[in-house]
Amino acid sequence: MSNDQPPPGPPPDEDPFRKKPPEEGPPPGGPPPPSEPPGSQPPPPGSQPPPPGSQPPPPGSQPPPPGPPPPGSPYDNAPPPPPYGSPYGGGGGYGAPDPLAGMPPLADSGKRILARIIDWLIITVPLALIGIPFDVYERTTDSDDFGDAISQSSTGSGLVFQLLSIVAFVAYDTVMTAKAGQTVGKKLMKMRVAMLNDGSTPPVNASLIRAIVLWLPALICCACLWPLLLLILILVDKPYKQGLHDKAAKTVVVSTPQ
């Protein structure tokens, strides 16, 4: 049995019985923590951790835009914006520009009356000559009105002449308006028919609708009352001075330089 004593001082580092300090690492049984790339920033406080299996965004990338508002947002039940456009098919509604912006001013009502009288004479004089075989003058003597004579036609020849008159008035106004927006009377009075939405020359379908509403009731039953009604509506209508024929075709009458 040896009497040698261990030398004084701390035990050597290689002592197998010395308790080693605990090493930093994952808790027992858990996977090792993922290594973070150099220069990465820790997530801000209160942020949600990424879902399992998702890839971290590359350095310098922008965060995704915010998604739609959560359920119950006050914007979910907000009413739709007011409709744009004029009730006649053009602009002029809430938030929309005036459809007459950039267009010539509206035609004077007095000039429109003169233009209509000129057009009526242009069609009526040839019809009066054509109507001699149809006994137009005999009926005119009884009614004292050429339009009433047409509307009171009851014989076979009278019905033919009435149909001929309707075709003449409607065709004249349709063709002239669709061609350049001007009848002879409107050209002499320096005005033209324009579409309300963009100021263009009315197409054939709009010109036909306008001519039918303008002339057909007057040639069938209301030779005096219908023109008077159209005139009153033109005088009182705001802001476009539209008669029923203009409203039906979505047109306005504007002045022209020539």
Side-chain angles (χ1 to χ4, degrees):
M1 183 172 185
S2 172
N3 294 326
D4 295 338
Q5 297 293 330
D13 294 337
E14 62 272 13
D15 187 354
F17 301 100
R18 182 181 178 184
K19 186 178 180 180
K20 296 181 173 60
E23 296 180 358
E24 297 180 358
S35 60
E36 297 182 358
S40 62
Q41 298 294 331
S47 62
Q48 298 294 331
S54 62
Q55 297 294 329
S61 62
Q62 298 294 330
S73 169
Y75 299 100
D76 291 342
N77 299 324
Y84 288 88
S86 166
Y88 307 128
Y94 177 79
D98 185 354
L100 296 179
M103 290 174 58
L106 294 174
D108 180 73
S109 300
K111 290 184 177 181
R112 292 183 66 173
I113 297 174
L114 292 177
R116 184 61 60 201
I117 293 175
I118 294 172
D119 292 330
W120 184 82
L121 291 175
I122 289 175
I123 306 173
T124 302
V125 171
L127 281 177
L129 297 177
I130 297 174
I132 295 176
F134 297 96
D135 296 330
V136 172
Y137 292 108
E138 182 179 350
R139 290 193 297 273
T140 303
T141 304
D142 298 333
S143 62
D144 295 328
D145 188 281
F146 181 77
D148 289 337
I150 295 176
S151 62
Q152 293 172 2
S153 301
S154 58
T155 62
S157 61
L159 291 175
V160 172
F161 182 75
Q162 183 179 27
L163 179 61
L164 180 62
S165 301
I166 293 174
V167 172
F169 278 93
V170 172
Y172 168 82
D173 216 282
T174 300
V175 173
M176 299 293 286
T177 302
K179 181 179 180 180
Q182 292 177 307
T183 59
V184 175
K186 287 183 173 61
K187 188 172 183 179
L188 294 176
M189 294 293 105
K190 296 182 180 180
M191 62 182 68
R192 73 177 181 91
V193 182
M195 296 301 296
L196 176 62
N197 59 342
D198 58 6
S200 62
T201 300
V204 175
N205 58 341
S207 301
L208 178 60
I209 293 174
R210 190 176 189 275
I212 289 176
V213 177
L214 175 64
W215 293 113
L216 192 59
L219 296 174
I220 293 179
C221 62
C222 310
C224 295
L225 181 60
W226 189 252
L228 180 61
L229 176 61
L230 295 181
L231 174 59
I232 293 174
L233 290 177
I234 291 173
L235 294 176
V236 303
D237 181 72
K238 303 293 182 183
Y240 303 126
K241 298 183 180 180
Q242 291 178 305
L244 289 178
H245 54 304
D246 289 312
K247 292 183 182 296
K250 301 175 185 178
T251 58
V252 289
V253 180
V254 297
S255 60
T256 58
Q258 58 181 7

